[in-house]
Amino acid sequence: MRAGCRHGEPRIGIETFVDDEGGYTSVATAVALLVSISLVFAVASVEWTVARSGDVQPVADACAMAGQNTVAAYYTVAQVLDACVLSMGLTGMAVMGVGLVTAAIPGAQAVSARAVAMGSDILEARHTFAHNVASGLSKLERAIPYAIVANSASCVVANSAGDLGYAGVAIPFPMSSQSDFSSMDALVNTGEVSGDTERLQDATRRSEEAKERADAARERAWRADCVDEPSCLRSRAISLAGLADYENPYALSPESWNFGMPITRSRAYYLQRYISEAPQAEDIESITDSIARSAFYEYALGEANSAWYFEEPDGHVSINIPHLARNSNEMRGTWLYDDGRWPCSEEEAGRTLHSTWACPGATGPDAGTDSVASVDSGAVRLCDVCRMDVVDLGKVASITTSSTSGYEHYWQIIVEAAQDYERARNEQADAEREMRQVAEEGKNAFQRALDQLGVPRPRICPPGAWGCVSVVVRGGGTTVPSELTDAFLTGSELPAGAAVSAAALAPDDATNGNDILSHFLDGIGANNAGTTVLGDVTGLWGRLLVAYGNRYQDLGDFVESFFGGWAACLEGRWGHGSGKRSYG
């Protein structure tokens, strides 16, 4: 059925689109093409509108990240500065520790003083630097919110193009700083460490001086005992008493020698001389000389038997090597002077003392015995024949002491050296005991100073530490491009839109070992070998600085190992055996 048409108007029927043979007409083809093109451009317009509408979200994301990048930059600055403060403190304490250790090393007092001074200067610089850092970071954090707003807003503006405009800003959370820098500029008191170092240096100097005197005295005694210059105690013992090697010990060096050797040697020597003493002739003068020598050997053997030599575990020594009388005057101070062993006879001139009953001058009856002291006091007469008195006793000692061929000559050198050695070794032991005491006090003072550095690290919580939230809006009125669609579609505008986004900082494990601290002051960590203790301070700081960023625990491990090495050094320097050597 066809629709009715007015007379004269064109009529459109099915034949307009389908011909008599059932095929499509040109009109049908044209209409189909027109509808298809309209649909294509309509879809393109919708796609453009949707795409442009969604672009506000990436802009909001970029806005939030731009604001958070400001916080990240601040974190980098704050952590680098905190690393500098911490590593400077540890470096200063490590250098002062080196000064404390080297104070106990003989000959290193100059290095010790320089190390302590340098460590103190580093810690002073660290305190000033930390104070300025804390003040500067506090002021910088007050400006962070404005920097976040400015940086995020500029990022939004940069994303605008043509008539497609955006406006927005990032808001930091928290809005204000919640950081705490009070622990950063903690003052480290190094006065105790410096004072203990000076005391340790003084005790070390005294110990070394005493050791030098003790070594010199021991070498002097060793030479008198074992080195022929032109002779020695050992050689004279062989020549005069024929002592065997087991009674006559020998040492190749002062280090293998001790004062017990001459004591052992002299006991055997004087016993042998006393036993083997005999007159060299039958006249009364020779007999008297022999009797005087025998008496002297008896006296010297008693003195040698009373001698002793002890070495204590703490380094103190006790030596008693008696001084033997060297002449008649010194003989008057011995027990032999007052010993009433000499026979007396009652002569016409009075009671007379003799060297022996075989003396031709002993013609009267027996009058007992008396001492040579009685001759000096006039209680008895001096025999005109044997003339036995203190001079005879002193003559034996005088001859052997004054001559380099005499045994007592070398004994006297050893006696004097033993006195010097005992005095010096005890002074050395006292100084080393003081060193141990001061070292322990210094270790405690050092630990207290280190504890002042061991306060919690600053709490860094600037504005934006928890993240930044951005809000971005797109203005309306943007016309959809119509260059290709005007012939098919009516014009349209992109509506206004908005988007919200947020960003927060998170650790990046990929940068471990390759962060900003690894590149900060590259020359510090590179120049750390082939230098002296003091010259390596910069390298030490570089290693500590880099360790802060990628191995924070290594800082504590380094300090712990440093103290372990320090304690081992002191123990090795002052350790003593637990035993006690004695000769007596």
Side-chain angles (χ1 to χ4, degrees):
M1 179 177 181
R2 296 181 180 178
C5 296
R6 295 180 181 181
H7 181 73
E9 291 182 354
R11 295 178 294 175
I12 301 176
I14 191 63
E15 66 274 6
T16 304
F17 302 102
V18 180
D19 59 18
D20 295 337
E21 296 179 355
Y24 293 109
T25 64
S26 298
V27 174
T29 302
V31 170
L33 289 173
L34 180 61
V35 171
S36 299
I37 292 173
S38 297
L39 289 174
V40 168
F41 281 101
V43 171
S45 177
V46 170
E47 181 66 24
W48 185 91
T49 301
V50 172
R52 297 288 78 77
S53 297
D55 281 351
V56 69
Q57 186 61 53
V59 175
D61 294 341
C63 177
M65 294 183 67
Q68 199 63 20
N69 283 340
T70 302
V71 182
Y74 168 79
Y75 262 111
T76 299
V77 172
Q79 288 189 335
V80 168
L81 293 177
D82 182 40
C84 290
V85 171
L86 177 61
S87 58
M88 285 177 68
L90 292 176
T91 300
M93 291 305 298
V95 174
M96 290 201 75
V98 169
L100 193 60
V101 172
T102 53
I105 300 176
Q109 278 70 34
V111 175
S112 172
R114 290 174 58 199
V116 171
M118 179 176 289
S120 181
D121 290 345
I122 292 174
L123 290 174
E124 181 64 28
R126 173 253 178 211
H127 176 66
T128 302
F129 177 68
H131 179 76
N132 293 335
V133 165
S135 175
L137 290 179
S138 297
K139 294 178 181 177
L140 183 58
E141 287 195 1
R142 291 196 290 269
I144 287 179
Y146 304 102
I148 291 174
V149 170
N151 198 36
S152 61
S154 64
C155 175
V156 171
V157 171
N159 279 277
S160 300
D163 60 351
L164 189 63
Y166 298 99
V169 71
I171 302 172
F173 290 93
M175 294 287 290
S176 60
S177 171
Q178 297 189 22
S179 297
D180 181 9
F181 300 107
S182 59
S183 64
M184 179 174 280
D185 60 346
L187 183 63
V188 179
N189 182 11
T190 60
E192 283 187 283
V193 178
S194 298
D196 289 336
T197 303
E198 292 179 1
R199 291 170 57 198
L200 194 55
Q201 290 171 349
D202 178 66
T204 302
R205 177 187 54 78
R206 288 187 283 109
S207 172
E208 182 62 15
E209 291 176 353
K211 182 179 183 302
E212 290 176 356
R213 296 198 307 272
D215 289 345
R218 182 171 62 176
E219 181 174 356
R220 192 164 69 250
W222 167 71
R223 290 185 175 278
D225 192 40
C226 296
V227 180
D228 289 332
E229 293 177 342
S231 189
C232 64
L233 212 64
R234 183 174 183 273
S235 296
R236 299 314 296 157
I238 295 174
S239 300
L240 300 175
L243 293 186
D245 289 343
Y246 72 91
E247 297 176 307
N248 204 19
Y250 175 71
L252 287 170
S253 66
E255 290 73 24
S256 60
W257 181 89
N258 61 69
F259 285 91
M261 291 184 179
I263 294 176
T264 300
R265 187 187 331 280
S266 295
R267 288 172 180 173
Y269 171 79
Y270 284 117
L271 177 61
Q272 183 62 34
R273 292 302 303 269
Y274 178 75
I275 294 173
S276 61
E277 175 57 39
Q280 297 177 354
E282 296 181 358
D283 58 279
I284 189 60
E285 183 178 354
S286 297
I287 295 174
T288 299
D289 289 343
S290 177
I291 292 174
R293 286 194 298 271
S294 180
F296 177 80
Y297 295 146
E298 180 184 358
Y299 148 74
L301 177 61
E303 296 297 293
N305 286 334
S306 68
W308 74 75
Y309 165 62
F310 295 103
E311 285 188 17
E312 300 294 344
D314 63 356
H316 285 82
V317 299
S318 178
I319 306 177
N320 176 38
I321 299 182
H323 166 79
L324 298 180
R326 295 175 293 182
N327 50 50
S328 299
N329 287 334
E330 291 185 2
M331 188 61 70
R332 289 184 173 92
T334 68
W335 62 266
L336 191 58
Y337 179 66
D338 297 306
D339 187 35
R341 64 169 58 194
W342 309 106
C344 296
S345 63
E346 194 65 45
E347 306 295 335
E348 292 182 2
R351 190 165 176 255
T352 305
L353 183 140
H354 308 280
S355 62
T356 175
W357 282 112
C359 174
T363 58
D366 182 358
T369 59
D370 213 328
S371 66
V372 292
S374 296
V375 176
D376 285 349
S377 66
V380 296
R381 290 181 61 254
L382 177 67
C383 176
D384 295 331
V385 179
C386 65
R387 305 191 65 80
M388 181 64 204
D389 63 358
V390 70
V391 174
D392 280 302
L393 295 177
K395 181 172 61 175
V396 178
S398 176
I399 294 174
T400 58
T401 303
S402 60
S403 172
T404 57
S405 62
Y407 187 90
E408 286 70 24
H409 172 80
Y410 301 101
W411 175 266
Q412 183 60 32
I413 295 175
I414 294 173
V415 169
E416 295 172 355
Q419 295 171 352
D420 294 341
Y421 180 80
E422 180 182 29
R423 183 166 47 251
R425 283 287 286 121
N426 290 337
E427 289 178 6
Q428 179 186 355
D430 290 339
E432 290 189 349
R433 179 175 59 190
E434 182 179 349
M435 289 166 67
R436 289 191 294 272
Q437 179 181 354
V438 174
E440 186 62 31
E441 294 174 359
K443 180 180 179 181
N444 295 334
F446 199 101
Q447 187 61 53
R448 287 192 292 271
L450 189 65
D451 289 342
Q452 297 174 28
L453 287 175
V455 296
R457 302 313 309 150
R459 182 174 183 265
I460 302 177
C461 186
W466 303 340
C468 289
V469 176
S470 66
V471 178
V472 176
V473 297
R474 181 190 63 245
T478 301
T479 303
V480 177
S482 57
E483 288 80 359
L484 300 178
T485 61
D486 282 346
F488 306 98
L489 303 172
T490 60
S492 63
E493 292 183 352
L494 185 66
V500 177
S501 185
L505 297 178
D508 186 1
D509 293 337
T511 63
N512 187 24
N514 192 31
D515 56 15
I516 188 66
L517 289 174
S518 297
H519 301 285
F520 179 68
L521 299 178
D522 285 337
I524 293 178
N527 184 24
N528 60 4
T531 58
T532 63
V533 171
L534 296 179
D536 198 33
V537 171
T538 304
L540 170 64
W541 182 37
R543 292 192 297 274
L544 287 172
L545 190 63
V546 173
Y548 174 94
N550 49 3
R551 294 180 305 277
Y552 188 91
Q553 184 61 36
D554 286 359
L555 297 175
D557 294 342
F558 173 83
V559 174
E560 185 68 24
S561 63
F562 173 80
F563 276 113
W566 177 63
C569 176
L570 297 184
E571 182 66 24
R573 165 63 182 156
W574 294 313
H576 291 285
S578 59
K580 176 173 72 173
R581 290 194 295 174
S582 63
Y583 304 89

